[in-house]
Amino acid sequence: EVQLVQSGAEVKKPGESLRISCKGSGYSFTSYWISWVRQMPGKGLEWMGRIDPSDSYTNYSPSFQGHVTISADKSISTAYLQWSSLKASDTAMYYCAKGFNYYDSSGYPLAFDYWGQGTLVTVSS
Amino acid sequence: EIVLTQSPGTLSLSPGERATLSCRASQSVSSNYLAWYQQKCGQAPRLLIYGASSRVTGIPDRFSGSGSGTDFTLTISRLEPEDFAVYYCQQYGTSPEYTFGQGTKLEIK
């Protein structure tokens, strides 16, 4: 069974750093891209960026480039989303999602078929 | 950046009725690049439809997708109680690679 299990909820202060995780199981972790998606309270879904776990190549949405860092450790089938200095506006639910086995001509996945349960990040002074 | 606009924002229907949800793109989207998700309260999204009209394995056949160019539709033929949720369309493009519509809330009338 494919599973993406995310780390637990976090409460942080503005300016603090944070890394949350997403551990994949039940499939070949290095064969599928992992994306991170933000959902602010009561709002819709925003794609943040993705990583190819086989070589840690990343793409970021322009809206998130420079604000977060996506990484992966293929030896433990885990992807990460990291902030160096949190802001109150980073308060949101964050999901990791596995690329679906349906690709464009360049080999990039066109959708997401499995999602983690979400990690709620609250940033408040 | 391609913007996806979903309508209506909220749709109030009764179980057994037919639901028609719209997703309009600001520029033409390849049909292969359009997907639909369902998100229930407190849960992660679930992929329903990819390539505009292909159902994911295990998704009931009351869910169907159609459309091309800038206009796409998700239809639920006969609503079941478990179908009441928020639905998002998503397209694949460039920078950002993935964009979502703002969602349609399907609520019980």
Side-chain angles (χ1 to χ4, degrees):
Chain A
E1 178 194 8
V2 173
Q3 283 193 309
L4 295 174
V5 178
Q6 297 184 227
S7 50
E10 301 275 1
V11 179
K12 292 289 190 179
K13 290 181 167 48
E16 291 187 329
S17 63
L18 175 64
R19 188 178 76 168
I20 62 175
S21 66
C22 167
K23 182 174 176 61
S25 63
Y27 73 101
S28 174
F29 186 72
T30 54
S31 297
Y32 298 92
W33 289 77
I34 292 286
S35 282
W36 287 93
V37 176
R38 183 175 79 175
Q39 188 166 38
M40 299 180 77
K43 302 298 184 183
L45 304 167
E46 301 172 90
W47 180 74
M48 302 174 71
R50 65 185 176 187
I51 188 164
D52 179 348
S54 68
D55 61 5
S56 290
Y57 180 79
T58 53
N59 293 126
Y60 292 91
S61 165
S63 297
F64 294 92
Q65 179 87 46
H67 298 290
V68 297
T69 301
I70 295 171
S71 60
D73 184 342
K74 61 184 179 181
S75 70
I76 55 172
S77 301
T78 300
Y80 301 98
L81 178 65
Q82 181 175 328
W83 295 260
S84 59
S85 181
L86 287 160
K87 304 174 183 178
S89 57
D90 292 318
T91 294
M93 182 72 82
Y94 293 87
Y95 294 100
C96 61
K98 171 185 164 291
F100 183 46
N101 190 21
Y102 187 68
Y103 302 99
D104 73 350
S105 58
S106 299
Y108 294 110
L110 298 175
F112 314 111
D113 56 352
Y114 288 92
W115 296 62
Q117 82 277 18
T119 296
L120 180 62
V121 175
T122 303
V123 184
S124 174
S125 55
Chain B
E1 176 183 344
I2 294 178
V3 176
L4 300 178
T5 302
Q6 293 186 240
S7 62
T10 301
L11 184 58
S12 299
L13 294 170
S14 300
E17 292 193 294
R18 180 185 186 91
T20 303
L21 287 67
S22 173
C23 175
R24 178 162 291 179
S26 59
Q27 303 171 42
S28 185
V29 173
S30 167
S31 295
N32 286 344
Y33 293 8
L34 198 287
W36 289 93
Y37 298 83
Q38 175 194 68
Q39 187 178 31
K40 296 181 180 179
C41 187
Q43 296 184 19
R46 178 172 69 147
L47 179 64
L48 302 174
I49 301 286
Y50 65 96
S53 61
S54 297
R55 257 188 320 275
V56 172
T57 301
I59 299 301
D61 62 6
R62 63 179 181 274
F63 290 90
S64 63
S66 63
S68 63
T70 59
D71 291 298
F72 297 88
T73 300
L74 175 69
T75 301
I76 311 171
S77 58
R78 294 174 310 279
L79 284 166
E80 297 287 342
E82 62 267 28
D83 298 336
F84 292 92
V86 179
Y87 291 85
Y88 294 95
C89 56
Q90 172 248 307
Q91 71 90 31
Y92 177 79
T94 53
S95 198
E97 278 74 355
Y98 307 91
T99 55
F100 294 87
Q102 84 280 16
T104 289
K105 181 180 180 181
L106 179 56
E107 65 176 23
I108 299 176
K109 188 174 182 180

